[in-house]
Amino acid sequence: VQVVESGGGLVQAGGSLRLSCVASEDIWNDYYVAWFRHVPGKGREGVAGIDTLFTKVYADSVKGRFTISRDASANILYLQMNSLKPDDTAMYYCAAQRYPIWRWDDPARFNVWGQGTQVTVSS
């Protein structure tokens, strides 16, 4: 399984971006998928996750601003990011791990990663 992210860029604070993650095959029944972000000098932070039943979870730092979704008819995962803040600046990664899962936000549990897409929010 491979995943490829896109949609990052430079945006002003308060703006929006939508990230996409395309999977090489239908992974939704066998894999839990999530978005992580990484800032140099810090560990990878779980941003949002979604399971087979479309149950969604979010990091407290993005609740109410970010929305994770997936296209049921295609192998695409999305992250809609609104009201962006400079603190959201990071490399964003799409990741997947086989079921069962223990923690949605532990990057060590995920064995499928994309190359990342950079999001930069200017103040």
Side-chain angles (χ1 to χ4, degrees):
V1 176
Q2 294 180 326
V3 294
V4 179
E5 307 94 334
S6 62
L10 173 64
V11 64
Q12 289 188 331
S16 298
L17 283 173
R18 188 177 79 159
L19 306 183
S20 299
C21 170
V22 179
S24 59
E25 58 190 77
D26 184 354
I27 64 173
W28 309 119
N29 288 330
D30 296 327
Y31 287 83
Y32 185 90
V33 290
W35 287 97
F36 286 81
R37 63 188 181 186
H38 181 240
V39 175
K42 298 183 179 180
R44 290 191 178 185
E45 175 191 20
V47 175
I50 186 169
D51 68 11
T52 302
L53 299 179
F54 292 88
T55 303
K56 304 173 185 180
V57 292
Y58 296 95
D60 288 343
S61 58
V62 306
K63 281 181 181 177
R65 301 188 298 122
F66 290 11
T67 302
I68 189 171
S69 62
R70 59 181 173 91
D71 187 330
S73 63
N75 300 326
I76 305 176
L77 178 72
Y78 298 104
L79 184 68
Q80 178 66 44
M81 305 186 296
N82 299 328
S83 302
L84 282 162
K85 305 174 181 179
D87 284 349
D88 295 319
T89 296
M91 184 72 80
Y92 283 73
Y93 296 89
C94 172
Q97 64 166 301
R98 280 190 174 276
Y99 290 106
I101 68 169
W102 294 101
R103 286 188 57 181
W104 75 270
D105 59 349
D106 181 356
R109 300 283 183 178
F110 289 77
N111 61 341
V112 177
W113 292 87
Q115 83 289 348
T117 185
Q118 178 68 36
V119 172
T120 303
V121 184
S122 63
S123 57

